[in-house]
C-alpha cells in the first residue's frame, strides 16, 4: 500500500503551503501584522500563556499545554510519562516532537513561540487558498479573510494559550485544500494524522470516501480507506515503540475521551450531566453521548453529496466539524476559530440565511464573554454555582446549532433554485418554506 502511495511522490505532486495566486500588499500586511502581534504578545506578556492555559475556555486535560510540559519533564528525567500516572493525554509522537522543539526543557523559548505563530499563519493561508479555488471572484477577498482570522481575538488567545488543537486545525484546513485539488491521497494522510491527534477527525473520512465512491467507484474508495487505516497503524506502531513497547497510551489518549474519565468543567455539554447522574447509568449515557456525536455524519453525507461538485463535499466537511464542536467531550475555543473563519468560504449562501452572520457573531461574543465571568463567580468568588457556567455552554451550543441549521437550510434553497434553473434575478420572488 505504501509503495503505491509514497509520501515523497505525493509531496512532489502538490504544493501544500504554496499559493499560485498573487498576494496583494494589504493581505500580506494583514498576515505579517497578525504574526508580529502574536510574537509581540509572547515577548511582552510572558506570563499570559500560562494564565490562559489554566482557564477552561482554552485548556482541558486532553489538550493542556501545561500537561505537555509535565510530560517533557518526565522524559528529561528518563521516566515514561505513559507509565507514570495519568497526567498526560497527548499522543506520544506529539510529545516527542515538542520535546525536541523545546530542547527537553519545560520553559518556553523563541522556537515554540514562532512555531505556534507560524501555525496560525499557515491556517490562514490555507483558508485563502481554498476561498480562491472555490469562489473565484465571487467570494470574499483574501484581505477580508486574513484580517478576520489573524486579528480575531479568539484566534489570538487560542494561539497564546498554546492549545495543541490548533495543530489539528492546520491539518484539517490543509486536508480541505488538498480535496479541492483532487489530491485525495495526501488529504487522507493528513486526515489520519489529525485523527491520531484528536480522535474525532476520523468522522471526516466518511464524506471523502462517499464522494470517491459516487464519482470514482468502489475500488478508489476502498484504496483510500486502506491508506487511512495503514497510516493510522504506522502512527500507532511508532507510538508503541516510543512508549517502550507499550500500548498504554491508547487508554490515556483515546479511551479517556470515549469514557470521559476526566470530568472537569469545559465549554461542552458532557461534564455537568455526568456529575449529576447515578453511577448505575454512567455506561448507558456514555454510549448515548458518543453515538450522538457521530449519528448525523452518515445522513448528512448521503443527503448533500450527490455529484462531483467540490463545494458539496467541502460543505459537508464543514458542517460535520461544527457538529463535532458542540458534541465532543472536551471542546475549547480553538475548535471554534477555524469553523467560524471557514464560514467565509460559503458566501454564495449568505442571501438565503434567516439570520445574518453578524447576528450570530454578536450572540457568540456575548456568550463567550459571559462564560469566564460566570466561571470566576463560581470558582473564585464562590458567589454562584455550576449552573451559571453550564448555562453558557448550553447557550453556546444553541447558537452554533442555530447557525448550522440556518446554513443547511440556505444550502437546500440554493440547491432547489439551481436544479429548477431559476435565474438569480427572480429567486427573491419565490420563497421556500420549511414544513
Amino acid at each position: 500500500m505504501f509503495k503505491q502511495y509514497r509520501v515523497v511522490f505525493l509531496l512532489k505532486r502538490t504544493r501544500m503551503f504554496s499559493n499560485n495566486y498573487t498576494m496583494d500588499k494589504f493581505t500580506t500586511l494583514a498576515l505579517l501584522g497578525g504574526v508580529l502581534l502574536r510574537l509581540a504578545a509572547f515577548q511582552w506578556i510572558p506570563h499570559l500563556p500560562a494564565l490562559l492555559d489554566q482557564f477552561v475556555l482554552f485548556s482541558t486535560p486532553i489538550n493542556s499545554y501545561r500537561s505537555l510540559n509535565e510530560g517533557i519533564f518526565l522524559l528529561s528525567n528518563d521516566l515514561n510519562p505513559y507509565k507514570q500516572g495519568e497526567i498526560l493525554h497527548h499522543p506520544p509522537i506529539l510529545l516527542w516532537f515538542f520535546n525536541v522543539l523545546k530542547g527537553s526543557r519545560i520553559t518556553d523559548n523563541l522556537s515554540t513561540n514562532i512555531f505556534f505563530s507560524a501555525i496560525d499563519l499557515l491556517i490562514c493561508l490555507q483558508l485563502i487558498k481554498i476561498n480562491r479555488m472555490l469562489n473565484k471572484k465571487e467570494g470574499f477577498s483574501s484581505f477580508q479573510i486574513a484580517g478576520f482570522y489573524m486579528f480575531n481575538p479568539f484566534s489570538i488567545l487560542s494561539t497564546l494559550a498554546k492549545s495543541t488543537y490548533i495543530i489539528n486545525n492546520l491539518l484539517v484546513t490543509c486536508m480541505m485544500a488538498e480535496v479541492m485539488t483532487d489530491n485525495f491521497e495526501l488529504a487522507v494522510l493528513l486526515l489520519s494524522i489529525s485523527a491520531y491527534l484528536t480522535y474525532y477527525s476520523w468522522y471526516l473520512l466518511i464524506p471523502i470516501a462517499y464522494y470517491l465512491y459516487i464519482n470514482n467507484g468502489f475500488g478508489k474508495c476502498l484504496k483510500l480507506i486502506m491508506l487511512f487505516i495503514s497510516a493510522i497503524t504506522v502512527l500507532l506502531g511508532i507510538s508503541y515503540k516510543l512508549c517502550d513497547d507499550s500500548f498504554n497510551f491508547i487508554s490515556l489518549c483515546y479511551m479517556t475521551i470515549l469514557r470521559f474519565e476526566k470530568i472537569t468543567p469545559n465549554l461542552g455539554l458532557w461534564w455537568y450531566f455526568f456529575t449529576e447522574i447515578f453511577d448505575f447509568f454512567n455506561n448507558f449515557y456514555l454510549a448515548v453521548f458518543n453515538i450522538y456525536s457521530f449519528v448525523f455524519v452518515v445522513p448528512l453525507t448521503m443527503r448533500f453529496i450527490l455529484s462531483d461538485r467540490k463545494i458539496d463535499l467541502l460543505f459537508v466537511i464543514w458542517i460535520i466539524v461544527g457538529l463535532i464542536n458542540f458534541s465532543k467531550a472536551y471542546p475549547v475555543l480553538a475548535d471554534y476559530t477555524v469553523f467560524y473563519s471557514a464560514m467565509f468560504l460559503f458566501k454564495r449562501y449568505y442571501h438565503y440565511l434567516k439570520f445574518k452572520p453578524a447576528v450570530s457573531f454578536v450572540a457568540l461574543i456575548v456568550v463567550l464573554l459571559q462564560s469566564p465571568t460566570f466561571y470566576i463567580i463560581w470558582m473564585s468568588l464562590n458567589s454562584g454555582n455550576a449552573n451559571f457556567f453550564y448555562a453558557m455552554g448550553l447557550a453556546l451550543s444553541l447558537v452554533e446549532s442555530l447557525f448550522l441549521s440556518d446554513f443547511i437550510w440556505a444550502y437546500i434553497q440554493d440547491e432547489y433554485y439551481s436544479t429548477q434553473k431559476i435565474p438569480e434575478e427572480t429567486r427573491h420572488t419565490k420563497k421556500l418554506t420549511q414544513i
Side-chain angles (χ1 to χ4, degrees):
M1 179 61 66
F2 282 100
K3 291 182 179 179
Q4 185 177 0
Y5 298 108
R6 292 181 185 274
V7 175
V8 175
F9 175 71
L10 290 170
L11 293 177
K12 287 182 179 180
R13 287 184 56 194
T14 185
R15 297 178 179 179
M16 190 187 309
F17 299 116
S18 66
N19 201 327
N20 294 328
Y21 303 92
T22 57
M23 195 79 70
D24 63 88
K25 63 179 181 180
F26 295 107
T27 304
T28 304
L29 288 173
L31 294 171
L32 292 177
V35 172
L36 292 175
L37 176 61
R38 286 159 172 78
L39 291 175
F42 281 127
Q43 182 66 30
W44 294 339
I45 319 176
H47 300 295
L48 183 59
L51 179 64
L52 293 175
D53 188 52
Q54 297 176 12
F55 205 65
V56 294
L57 268 66
F58 305 97
S59 176
T60 68
I62 306 301
N63 77 311
S64 171
Y65 189 69
R66 184 172 65 256
S67 68
L68 189 67
N69 281 328
E70 291 174 354
I72 293 174
F73 176 79
L74 291 174
L75 277 181
S76 64
N77 288 275
D78 297 324
L79 297 173
N80 188 334
Y82 298 96
K83 292 182 179 179
Q84 309 294 327
E86 297 183 355
I87 61 171
L88 185 66
H89 302 282
H90 297 277
I93 296 177
L94 184 68
L95 173 64
W96 263 261
F97 171 79
F98 274 95
N99 185 49
V100 173
L101 181 67
K102 301 182 67 172
S104 299
R105 296 189 299 270
I106 61 173
T107 56
D108 287 333
N109 51 34
L110 182 61
S111 61
T112 55
N113 298 339
I114 293 175
F115 173 77
F116 280 99
S117 301
I119 290 289
D120 256 359
L121 174 63
L122 294 175
I123 290 172
C124 191
L125 288 174
Q126 292 303 299
L127 291 173
I128 292 172
K129 180 180 177 182
I130 297 169
N131 180 63
R132 287 176 166 178
M133 290 188 291
L134 186 65
N135 296 309
K136 307 300 180 184
K137 297 181 180 180
E138 300 174 358
F140 287 98
S141 67
S142 299
F143 173 72
Q144 290 172 313
I145 294 177
F148 180 84
Y149 184 81
M150 297 303 290
F151 295 96
N152 184 333
F154 302 130
S155 174
I156 295 172
L157 290 174
S158 296
T159 303
L160 294 179
K162 296 184 177 179
S163 171
T164 55
Y165 278 0
I166 69 170
I167 302 174
N168 179 66
N169 291 343
L170 175 62
L171 292 169
V172 171
T173 51
C174 288
M175 179 271 293
M176 294 167 68
E178 295 309 314
V179 163
M180 290 297 299
T181 59
D182 287 324
N183 197 346
F184 289 99
E185 291 85 0
L186 183 55
V188 168
L189 287 177
L190 291 168
L191 187 60
S192 65
I193 300 173
S194 176
Y196 169 79
L197 294 178
T198 60
Y199 171 74
Y200 289 101
S201 293
W202 75 267
Y203 293 179
L204 304 179
L205 178 66
I206 294 175
I208 295 175
Y210 188 72
Y211 179 89
L212 291 172
Y213 172 72
I214 287 180
N215 296 287
N216 300 95
F218 180 73
K220 179 73 171 179
C221 172
L222 181 60
K223 287 180 180 178
L224 266 295
I225 293 175
M226 293 305 298
L227 176 63
F228 177 86
I229 295 174
S230 301
I232 287 290
T233 302
V234 169
L235 291 171
L236 294 179
I238 295 173
S239 301
Y240 173 78
K241 288 298 181 181
L242 290 175
C243 292
D244 300 330
D245 298 338
S246 171
F247 280 115
N248 193 46
F249 71 92
I250 292 180
S251 175
L252 291 174
C253 299
Y254 308 114
M255 298 310 295
T256 297
I257 297 174
L258 293 175
R259 294 194 295 251
F260 196 56
E261 295 177 348
K262 300 287 185 177
I263 303 179
T264 58
N266 56 61
L267 291 175
L269 304 177
W270 293 45
W271 67 273
Y272 186 80
F273 189 87
F274 282 94
T275 60
E276 296 295 330
I277 64 171
F278 294 108
D279 290 340
F280 177 79
F281 299 104
N282 191 71
N283 291 335
F284 171 75
Y285 282 107
L286 277 175
V288 170
F289 274 70
N290 279 296
I291 292 172
Y292 177 75
S293 70
F294 175 76
V295 71
F296 299 104
V297 175
V298 174
L300 286 171
T301 297
M302 298 182 68
R303 168 58 183 86
F304 292 118
I305 300 179
L306 303 174
S307 64
D308 61 349
R309 294 201 317 165
K310 289 293 176 55
I311 190 173
D312 297 340
L313 175 57
L314 209 63
F315 184 78
V316 170
I317 290 174
W318 179 66
I319 291 295
I320 292 174
V321 168
L323 290 171
I324 291 173
N325 283 349
F326 68 81
S327 62
K328 68 192 298 186
Y330 298 98
V332 292
L333 200 58
D335 293 316
Y336 294 88
T337 54
V338 166
F339 170 74
Y340 281 101
S341 298
M343 176 199 68
F344 284 84
L345 304 177
F346 305 103
K347 185 181 180 181
R348 63 180 295 170
Y349 304 131
Y350 276 28
H351 54 282
Y352 301 119
L353 294 175
K354 183 183 297 184
F355 304 104
K356 296 302 179 184
V359 177
S360 299
F361 277 120
V362 169
L364 179 69
I365 291 171
V366 170
V367 171
L368 291 178
L369 287 178
Q370 287 183 330
S371 294
T373 304
F374 286 126
Y375 183 78
I376 292 172
I377 290 175
W378 169 35
M379 299 298 291
S380 300
L381 302 179
N382 296 321
S383 299
N385 56 43
N387 294 329
F388 296 104
F389 179 70
Y390 186 65
M392 292 300 100
L394 290 173
L396 180 63
S397 299
L398 177 62
V399 169
E400 186 170 6
S401 61
L402 291 174
F403 185 82
L404 286 171
S405 61
D406 201 12
F407 261 95
I408 290 174
W409 177 237
Y411 175 96
I412 292 173
Q413 291 182 77
D414 181 76
E415 180 187 54
Y416 174 81
Y417 292 134
S418 300
T419 55
Q420 298 299 318
K421 298 180 179 180
I422 299 175
E424 290 277 352
E425 56 274 11
T426 61
R427 290 184 179 184
H428 67 279
T429 62
K430 299 179 182 294
K431 185 177 181 180
L432 299 183
T433 302
Q434 292 174 312
I435 300 177

